[in-house]
Amino acid sequence: MSLRERQQQAGALLAADGIPLHFGDQQAEYRAALEDAVLMDRSHEGGLELHGRDRLSLPQRISTNDLEALAAGQGRPTLFTNPNGRILERAVIYHRGETALAISEPGRADALRNYISRNIFFNDELRIVDTTALTHKFALHGPKAAAVIARWQPELADLPAFGCRDLSVDGATVFVGRRKALSGGHWLVIAPIAQAETVWSALLAAGADLGLIPAGSLTYNVLRIRAGVPGAGRELSSDYIPLEVGLWDEVSFHKGCYTGQEIIARMES
């Protein structure tokens, strides 16, 4: 059975892009997200693998956060801004050792890849591989999300905030990372398409007695607004600079120059 068939069997109403909007009871989804845990399909978020010597240094010079300070196994959200300090793109970038992984906002993989590519110059060593269509991305939210992860893969129980790790699951590499919480904890799980249904089902089974249920993107948007997190195509746009939408924690005021830094530093001071 495919992932989509499994989700529809559970009552999912799918959007045009195949992402579940809801699973039949949005009130139950919202309550579980606040009290227990929910599992969401976030496969419309982009995934870009960054290869080469400048996998961190190039995004460092064109985005707001300090990415070169990352050790292997760490991640950090960052914003790509124009010369006027206004928001173009947002991504969470994880340092995986020999590669880096950039997770874009929903539907923004092409835009992020194109923007980074336009800033690659003749002496830079960076190759971008778009893995968005090759994987499924799942998100666990809620106060019991960490307990679900620990049930599924006990070695992940001590993963720190914005930490990441690659696991071998059924012979495939599965990526797990922590992200900014909307409600309780927030965990990202990325599985190859061939293993996606197996991983989805295993996560639901691991959290069955903890109150874990599947939830859709409509519930995600409610959680996002409740938490005051800006969204792509809404607050994440060139109408705003990062500080205006509350993303102070995604801006470094100590790193070197980056595109738009002068405007943002002026607003901070």
Side-chain angles (χ1 to χ4, degrees):
M1 181 180 294
S2 70
L3 174 64
R4 294 293 175 245
E5 289 171 336
R6 176 71 69 186
Q7 291 170 338
Q8 288 178 304
Q9 186 183 67
L13 175 65
L14 303 182
D17 58 2
I19 302 300
L21 290 169
H22 62 75
F23 285 81
D25 189 342
Q26 293 179 61
Q27 288 187 347
E29 293 177 19
Y30 184 57
R31 184 167 56 251
L34 297 182
E35 299 175 0
D36 299 310
V38 293
L39 178 63
M40 297 181 175
D41 190 337
R42 302 295 296 170
S43 299
H44 51 341
E45 296 178 358
L48 305 178
E49 289 185 353
L50 308 179
H51 299 257
R53 180 195 64 203
D54 299 306
R55 60 191 177 278
L56 294 175
S57 60
L58 194 152
Q60 168 90 353
R61 72 178 187 237
I62 58 172
S63 72
T64 59
N65 223 335
D66 190 355
L67 304 176
E68 289 191 315
L70 292 174
Q74 294 180 335
R76 188 165 288 171
T78 194
L79 297 145
F80 297 82
T81 52
N82 66 20
N84 293 324
R86 296 182 177 270
I87 300 169
L88 298 174
E89 304 294 336
R90 178 183 181 272
V92 181
I93 296 184
Y94 293 97
H95 185 358
R96 300 171 76 180
E98 295 300 313
T99 64
L101 176 65
I103 305 298
S104 80
E105 292 293 307
R108 301 299 299 175
D110 287 346
L112 179 61
R113 184 188 67 243
N114 291 338
Y115 182 72
I116 295 175
S117 296
R118 290 198 301 272
N119 285 276
I120 299 175
F121 298 108
F122 71 94
N123 60 332
D124 292 325
E125 293 182 12
L126 178 65
R127 181 170 58 90
I128 304 172
V129 178
D130 189 342
T131 63
T132 306
L134 305 177
T135 61
H136 280 289
K137 299 177 187 69
F138 306 136
L140 275 166
H141 295 273
K144 297 181 182 177
V148 174
I149 284 288
R151 289 269 188 91
W152 176 56
Q153 299 288 337
E155 66 270 31
L156 295 175
D158 60 349
L159 197 66
F162 285 106
C164 68
R165 192 171 300 170
D166 288 308
L167 307 174
S168 179
V169 179
D170 294 331
T173 298
V174 174
F175 173 87
V176 179
R178 292 187 63 184
R179 296 201 284 186
K180 186 182 296 185
L182 300 182
S183 172
H186 182 180
W187 297 72
L188 170 70
V189 178
I190 305 178
I193 287 178
Q195 284 75 28
E197 189 278 330
T198 299
V199 172
W200 174 270
S201 297
L203 286 166
L204 286 174
D209 63 344
L210 294 171
L212 174 68
I213 63 171
S217 57
L218 295 179
T219 296
Y220 175 89
N221 204 43
V222 173
L223 295 174
R224 178 188 70 77
I225 293 170
R226 178 181 181 272
V229 174
R234 297 177 175 84
E235 302 83 9
L236 293 177
S237 76
S238 58
D239 290 335
Y240 304 101
I241 70 168
L243 309 187
E244 291 179 304
V245 294
L247 296 178
W248 291 71
D249 59 325
E250 301 187 9
V251 176
S252 170
F253 296 102
H254 306 288
K255 62 177 277 187
C257 294
Y258 61 87
T259 307
Q261 181 190 31
E262 291 184 3
I263 301 299
I264 295 172
R266 188 180 306 162
M267 288 294 290
E268 186 270 340
S269 63

